[in-house]
Structure formats: structure tokens, C-alpha cells
Amino acid sequence: MKRVKILKSYAAGLALLTLAACAPSTAPSSAGGDDRTGTVRVWLFDEPNRAPKEKVVAEAVKEFTAAHPDVKVEVSYIPTSPARHEKFKGAFNDPASAPDVAEYGNTDLAEYAAAGGFADLGADVGAWAEGKEIGADLLKSATAGGKLYGVPWYIGVRALYYRTDVFAELGLEPPATLEELATTARAVREKKPDLYGIAVGGEYTFGALPFVWDAGGDIEKLDGPESRKGVKAYTDLLSDDVCPPQACAALTGGKTVELFASGKAAMGILGNFSRSAVDAGPAAGKYAVVPLPGSTAGTPAPAFAGGNNLGVMRSSGHRTLAVQFVQLLAGKTYQVKMYEAMGNLPTLTSARQELAAKDPFLKPFLDTVAAGTRFVPVDPAWVKIDNQKVIPTMLQKVATGQATVEQATTEAAAAVNAAFGRS
Amino acid sequence: MTTLATTPAGPQARARRAGPRPRRRDGLRPWLYLLPAAAVLLPLLGYPIYMLGLLSVFDYRQAQVSGGEPTTFVGFGNYATLLGDQRFWSVLGQTVAFAAALVVATLAVGATLAVVLSRAGRVPRLLLSLAAMAAWAAPAMTGSTVWMFLFDADLGLVNQVLGIEGFNWFYDRWVAFGVVGATVVWHSFPFVMVTLYAGIQAVPASVIEAAALDGASAWQSFWKVLVPILRPLITIVVIQSIIWDFKIFTQIYVMTNGGGIAGQNSVLNVYAYQTAFGSSEYGLGSAIGMVMTLILLAVTLLYIRALHRRGESL
């Protein structure tokens, strides 16, 4: 009894002490400055094949420093893996080690906005001639709580890549509906057992979501009958007669790109940005692309409109210079150059139209965009859902037979609700 | 902790007979000797634990760290969330079972090889020692990566030798735990082996000889003679192993890519890390850390107490 009492008073004392004096520290809220000289630090994402990106960026830096002789631009490349969150959190927590300009994935926006890491660029983009060309739906992917936290730099859209040589040999047509996709995939694996019918992965969230969206479901109601239909359609592909769970359950989107590029799969749900990776492998020159079909022929499944924005850090000491550099890099000239180097779809309508006329490869992707795209919830909850691997866990549990579609989706829906704080 | 409290009791009892003044000086002396170590250990250990405890009673997420939202005191709210979370309990159970299996396996392998080492000739002993030292010296990260390559589904040496290319060792929960467990044992048996080998070397040969003369088999003399003599050493090794294996992180994180398919291979430390740094729930993550610390403390205290009850000391 005595011990309990002592413990209690100790706990109360500790609580008082902490409340009074030492609540855990919080980063200083510096609003930054507006130096016109010095070094502008830029963070861009590292890519599997970075060299062409680096070259284009170096050109932009050269142009920028020619116009501003007193300014140096220092570019660092940061990983796109989940480690990026740590990098960004570090930058928010310690302005001294933060960049002035940073590229970030638009799915991370809500979390970064809630953390107060980026500056509101609404006025700057409004006053920027080229910026008026960015469509409203795209600006939305850089907007949180009514404030614009960056300039959409490029978007990426996924579509269905398929092997023309395999399809020709087996006398198959590219699928027109999701149902046909499944039967085609089975037919390929039956006749060519060393090939996967389609490369799908248990950790490939953005490969699975179009199935869910097409069935009428959504991330926020995963336990609805429509979502369940979509989850079933996708996880049915993770079976021995298409893409065996032994090999495919743990695959991420990036790994499915590798599978398709290395010639081990007859189809794959790949982005326009994966083109260079595929062209570097054995599947080069033996593939074509169509929009990922939906449940009815002629209507593509809604694709996820992923993309990256360029933002200016709130703590930046070179606000004007940083905004100018963003406008240069996100301007039409460099958007077109970035497309030519990396295959990134421009966000400026004029740049997109110009490229579509020049490059027929883009057609299926632009058709997909035209049919309507979807986005993840712009809410810090999404980062949580993503980090807790809620959707991959759901897919993997079904694919490995650890749970039925009903159980897995119910569990996932509960986790999504918890992330939104609705429980 | 208990030893610190009981050791001064001896001199105190004696001092009581000699009068009050020397008692005080003698009572202080052990503490004086402890001072240098305490001066280093307390801040190094105390501050992180204090911060961990502090964070665990706050609603402290990324928004609070970077100043977007005010930090609020939630008392034991994080602990309540944790204890009500089914996933926490399943991960905890899994961690305890995995750690127990690892401790037993590490001890079995380490003790067997220690006995082998004490009986082997010069060259085999040298080779075994070198192999063990190499395993011991390999950083956990490097070792895990190498083992992961060995067990790779398509290109791994193991699959090529066995002729089962394409078999995914990390697909089934128990097979994956087995491979990771083997890596952990490989990493940690040298400590057990070297410690027990040193202990065996210190056992007078006459004792073993006497046992042999009395007709004890090798098995009997190991269990009835060596083990009782080495008990204090074994205790240290067991406690160390429990602590290491309970807070296993690197091997699981690297080899199963952060917890395996659908998180089936997650252990408490990985779970705490993912909660704190993946989901940016620093408060909740700290609560998991606190729970782990308390569990380990309890295990250690219980073990030491059990030893004292039996009238043995470290």
C-alpha cells in the first residue's frame, strides 16, 4: 500500500514537473527571410536513373545563376523511400538544416501542410503568367486548407503495358474490360508457365486502387460492397494461375516494373514514368500501352493522379529567390525538357498538348487523364494510412489466404477510420 | 538493483556493534566507489528514459514537433490506446515467443560449441574461434543483408544448392521467423560460447576427473558438474540474451522488409519504431518503448530475486 502511495505521489510530482517546466520541445517557428544573395538549397527526389534529371536540373541552375550572379544553387537528391518522411520531418524541425526549395510527392502534402513546413505560394502563382495554365484539378493536389503549398511540377499516370510479341504469338487481344484482363492473364500463364499473366503486387497500392475505384468503392469505405468487389478483382490476380502469391504478395509497384521490364510478365500496370526503365530491359521494343480498362468496355478504370510538387519551405531565408527558381524549373521550357529526359507528364496544358502531338506514346496516358483521375484523401490521415501499410496489409492478407475479403476489408476500414480519428 | 541494496547490509550489520560513527563511514563507502560509474551511467541511462516517459504522456505527433499544433498532456491516454489495441497484444505475444525460442537456441548452440571448443584440438579450435569471431564482428545490418541474399528466392545460394529456385523463404510466417532466427543465433552465439568457454577453462580439471572416476558420463558431468559451477555465468548470459532477443530489431527490419507480408513478422521494437517514426506518433511510440523497458526490468529483477532465494549470488 505504502509503495503504491509513493508511486502515486511520484507520478503526480512528475506530471506537475513536466507540465510546469519541460513539455517536449517544439521547433522554433521561424518565418524565414528574404535574402537576395547567398546559397539557395534545393532538394529533389532521387530516381532509379537520375543522370538525365540531373542534367536538366544542372541546365536550369546554370540559367538561374547566370541571371543572379551573387547566388549559388546547391541541389541535393533525397530518396523517395519512406525515409523521405524522416528527411522532411528533420527539415521542419530544424530550419538550419532545411532546404529553400523542395520537391515532394503530392500524397504527402496534407501531412506537410499540417506540420506547417511549406510556405503559401497562392499569391506568387496567381501573379505568374505560366502558372495560370495549371488546371484547377491539379492545383487542388497542391492545396490543403485553402492554401497553395507548391507548384505542381509533373504528374504520373498508370496504364496497362502489355507484351506485343506474347500477345501476337498466342493470338490475344489487349483486354477491353477488367474481366477480360483476368481471363487474358490466365490464358498467358496457362500457355507460358514461365511468364506471369500480369505483374501485380501485394504492396502495390496504386495498382490496386483503380480496381476499387472502378467498382465504385473508395479508400474511405473499404468495407462497402463496391470496394470489396474491387479488392476481390485485384487479389484474384494474386493467385497461382496469374501471379503466384509466393512471388507476388510482397511486391511493391517498383518491383512489378522490374518484373515487366525483365520480360517475366506479359502485362503490368506501369506509369508513363516507367518507360525508360522498360526500354532499358529485355522487354524493350516489344510492348504497347493501353489505358487500364474498367468494368465496361470503352471506359478506363479511374487512375490515380500521382505527381510531384515544388514547394518553398516556410523557414527559407531566400523566399523571392526560391520562388523564382521554382517558377523557372516548373516553367514550360524545363517541363518539356524534364519530359524528354524522364518521361514526366507536364502540368502545364500547353506543354502537354505540344508533347502529345509529338509523341504517340503519351496517348493512352492522356486518354486515361481525360477519362477522369482520382486522388487519395488530402488529409494527414492518408500519410498514416500509407505508413501503416493499411492497404498492402489488406491485399496481402487476402492474397495469402490469412483472411477473407470481408475480414480483410473490415479490418482495413477500421484502420482507415482510426487514422481519420473517427473510430 | 537488488544487489546494490543488499550489499551494504553486511558492513552495516557489523558496524552496528562497533558504534555509530564508523557505521556511517562504512555505509557510505560502497556508494563512494559506485560514484564514478553512476556519474556516467545515470545521465546516459536516466535522461533517455526520462524523455521516453515524458513523451509517452503527451499527445506528441509530427504537427506538435514542428509547432503546427500545441502539445497536450494526455496522462496515460497513450497507454490506454496501446492496451486496447489488439495488434499490440499479438505483436507482444509474437515477440515473447520469438525471443524465448532465440534464447534457448542461442544458449544451446553456444554451450554445445563451448564444450566442443574445450575438447577440440588446436587447429579445429582455432578455426571454430575464427568463424565465431567473424560472426560476432559482423555488424547486424551486414549480416542480415548477407543472409537475405543467401535466401533470395531467385538468386540465393541456398535455393540454387537445394534446387528450389523461386521458393520464397519469407512468404510463410514460421519459415520467415526460422530464417531470421537463424541469423540472430548466428550473430549472438559467439558471446555465449566465449563466455562459457572461459568459464569451463576455469573449472579445475580435478573436479571433472573426479566425476569421471565416479563413473559419470560426459552428459552427466556436463549437467551435474559443469552447469552448477557455471550457474552464475549462465545467469548473466541468459539475462543478456533475453534482453538482446526481446529487443531484436535490425534482423527483422532488414530481412522481412519491416515486418514481413501483412506485418506477420513484426516484433515489438519494429512496431514501436514504425509507430513512432513511420506514423509520426512519437507519444504512442514512446509508450511502447516504456512498456518494453518495464517488461525487461521486471524479467531481470525476477531472475535476480529467484537466484537470491536459492541462496546463490552473482
Side-chain angles (χ1 to χ4, degrees), chain A residues 195-240:
Chain A
L195 276 185
Y196 298 132
I198 178 170
V200 282
E203 292 210 22
Y204 191 8
T205 305
F206 297 125
L209 281 178
F211 288 70
V212 174
W213 285 328
D214 178 70
D218 196 23
I219 297 166
E220 291 187 45
K221 42 173 189 198
L222 282 172
D223 52 353
E226 298 91 2
S227 299
R228 282 182 174 158
K229 199 177 147 223
V231 169
K232 185 169 180 334
Y234 185 78
T235 49
D236 276 352
L237 298 175
L238 282 159
S239 63
D240 284 337

Side-chain angles (χ1 to χ4, degrees), chain A residues 15 18-19 23-24, chain B residues 52-61 64 70-82 281-287:
Chain A
T18 54
L19 272 180
Chain B
L52 197 68
L54 183 63
L55 287 184
S56 73
V57 293
F58 279 89
D59 175 23
Y60 196 57
R61 288 168 286 122
Q64 279 80 10
T71 311
T72 48
F73 177 76
V74 293
F76 291 104
N78 284 326
Y79 293 93
T81 313
L82 197 61
E281 298 261 10
Y282 301 110
L284 194 59
S286 303

Side-chain angles (χ1 to χ4, degrees), chain A residues 272 310 327:
Chain A
N272 56 290
L310 287 172
Q327 289 177 346

Side-chain angles (χ1 to χ4, degrees), chain B residues 94-142:
Chain B
Q94 195 158 297
T95 310
V96 169
F98 187 47
L102 285 179
V103 170
V104 172
T106 312
L107 237 71
V109 173
T112 311
L113 289 179
V115 173
V116 169
L117 207 58
S118 67
R119 298 187 176 189
R122 254 188 82 214
V123 177
R125 180 163 48 197
L126 187 72
L127 288 178
L128 181 54
S129 309
L130 279 178
M133 289 310 125
W136 201 357
M141 189 81 186
T142 322

Side-chain angles (χ1 to χ4, degrees), chain B residues 103 105-112 114 136 188-198 233-234 237-238 240-241 244:
Chain B
V103 170
T106 312
L107 237 71
V109 173
T112 311
W136 201 357
S188 51
F189 87 86
F191 170 76
V192 177
M193 185 188 83
V194 168
T195 311
L196 293 184
Y197 174 64
L233 262 188
I234 293 175
V237 166
V238 166
Q240 288 262 29
S241 292
W244 280 343

Side-chain angles (χ1 to χ4, degrees), chain A residues 79-89 108 112 203 386-387 389, chain B residues 253 257 273 277-278:
Chain A
T80 44
S81 63
R84 69 180 186 270
H85 291 296
E86 267 89 289
K87 287 287 275 190
F88 272 102
K89 284 175 206 167
D108 295 338
Y112 296 165
E203 292 210 22
D386 194 26
N387 276 319
K389 293 193 181 178
Chain B
Y253 195 76
N257 189 20
Y273 172 80
F277 298 101

